[in-house]
Amino acid sequence: MQSYPAPALALVENMAAAAAADPARAVSFQGAPGANSHRAALEALPDCLPLPCFSFEDALDAVKEGRAAHAIIPIENSQHGRVADIHFLLPESGLSIVGEHFLEIHASLMALGDGPFTAAYSHPQALGQSRFYLRDRGIVPMSYADTAGAAAYVAELGDPTVAALAPRIAAELYGLKVIEDNVEDAHDNTTRFVILSRTPRDPATISGPAMTTFVFEVRNIPAALYKALGGFATNGVNMTKLESYQRGASFAATEFYADIVGAPGERPVDLALEELDFFAKNLRILGTYPLERIRGQ
């Protein structure tokens, strides 16, 4: 908690105390109060008690240790792609995905002064999502752990030539001036979040369309991935995401993160997963949960 800038620390302490008094309603998120993840928690679970955490690992640990019932974690952005390290952290956490939420992302440039500005602090994702705006104005992007924390840091610095990119609510929380709203390069910018719990959701309790997320590994041999995924095509299962990543430095095997539309217990999904398990290894389902947004077929 001491890693937060001073303007954020009092808010964090109050929110942590409220969550500790009722952990069943607590939802952990990475960032300072006012971050996009804070907004996502309030939108996805309106009755929750948001619990700010300094890192993604801290947010996941809060659920693992019982200090929060859920965590809400950004996993991908429509403009900037996957959120770094999440594909490693989710499988290692032992938690299950029980929901998803899509949040429209709008960044505001905020500061103590009126400009011009030499630098702007924000989370690397937010900086990447506004890179053309910053470059056109000669503002140097400076990385910070999260968007709202960057706003609190700028307030703490007291330098009128330094700005932050953060949700508008952060300016209100930390006493900054909003210089310009909607400075993101793409105004349909959207981040997908996943909601995590210690207990997986029973697919039988999902009444509408469902999504299943899993990870698996294939050997570095010809046609390994083709064979592993063939069952999804032959059984008509829609795969909406497939991303590869390397674990460790050996480069001996590739791991994959995948989303499919459907749930275990549905015959096409069961057949496809059975075929995948035959050709791949270390198959692990991370969760089955309701689709918040229907994917195209």
Side-chain angles (χ1 to χ4, degrees):
M1 190 176 291
Q2 286 71 24
S3 298
Y4 286 101
L9 192 55
L11 292 173
V12 172
E13 290 175 343
N14 290 338
M15 294 169 72
D22 192 358
R25 291 174 55 205
V27 176
S28 58
F29 66 91
Q30 183 273 329
N36 281 313
S37 293
H38 184 184
R39 293 178 53 223
L42 293 173
E43 283 190 13
L45 300 163
D47 192 43
C48 76
L49 295 172
L51 173 61
C53 299
F54 190 73
S55 68
F56 288 127
E57 292 93 333
D58 293 340
L60 297 173
D61 285 345
V63 179
K64 291 161 64 176
E65 296 165 3
R67 292 182 285 115
H70 298 94
I72 190 162
I73 302 293
I75 193 166
E76 60 184 320
N77 176 265
S78 60
Q79 184 183 353
H80 209 60
R82 81 166 68 160
V83 177
D85 297 333
I86 288 301
H87 289 45
F88 296 104
L89 293 174
L90 291 187
E92 292 172 354
S93 72
L95 303 178
S96 295
I97 303 174
V98 295
E100 65 175 356
H101 182 65
F102 291 86
L103 182 74
E104 291 186 3
I105 304 298
H106 299 292
S108 297
L109 186 73
M110 56 190 68
L112 289 170
D114 297 317
F117 304 107
T118 59
Y121 284 87
S122 198
H123 187 275
Q125 285 280 104
L127 294 172
Q129 292 157 16
S130 302
R131 63 186 182 277
F132 296 121
Y133 175 89
L134 296 175
R135 187 170 62 191
D136 287 347
R137 289 155 181 79
I139 300 174
V140 177
M142 301 292 288
S143 179
Y144 200 80
D146 73 280
T147 54
Y153 178 65
V154 166
E156 183 179 46
L157 278 177
D159 184 346
T161 69
V162 175
L165 285 177
R168 179 177 247 276
I169 187 177
E172 301 170 12
L173 290 173
Y174 303 118
L176 300 178
K177 300 177 184 178
V178 174
I179 307 302
E180 188 173 351
D181 284 320
N182 301 330
V183 301
E184 65 277 1
D185 297 328
H187 296 303
D188 60 351
N189 189 15
T190 302
T191 294
R192 179 188 175 213
F193 290 79
V194 290
I195 303 168
L196 300 158
S197 172
R198 291 186 300 277
T199 305
R201 184 159 186 164
D202 182 355
T205 66
I206 301 172
S207 58
M211 174 159 283
T212 297
T213 296
F214 55 90
V215 292
F216 64 96
E217 182 182 326
V218 297
R219 292 174 293 159
N220 271 337
I221 59 173
L225 182 61
Y226 174 82
K227 292 175 181 177
L229 298 183
F232 295 97
T234 57
N235 288 286
V237 177
N238 184 20
M239 180 171 286
T240 63
K241 173 175 285 295
L242 179 66
E243 292 190 350
S244 64
Y245 58 100
Q246 294 287 337
R247 185 180 297 275
S250 69
F251 293 91
T254 301
E255 298 191 18
F256 291 88
Y257 173 101
D259 290 334
I260 59 170
V261 176
E266 299 172 6
R267 181 165 174 77
V269 172
D270 289 344
L271 291 173
L273 290 175
E274 182 180 348
E275 191 164 341
L276 172 64
D277 197 33
F278 181 80
F279 288 108
K281 59 180 179 178
N282 298 332
L283 170 62
R284 181 181 168 196
I285 294 178
L286 299 183
T288 298
Y289 46 96
L291 268 75
E292 184 180 85
R293 178 178 295 181
I294 300 297
R295 275 53 157 191
Q297 296 294 327

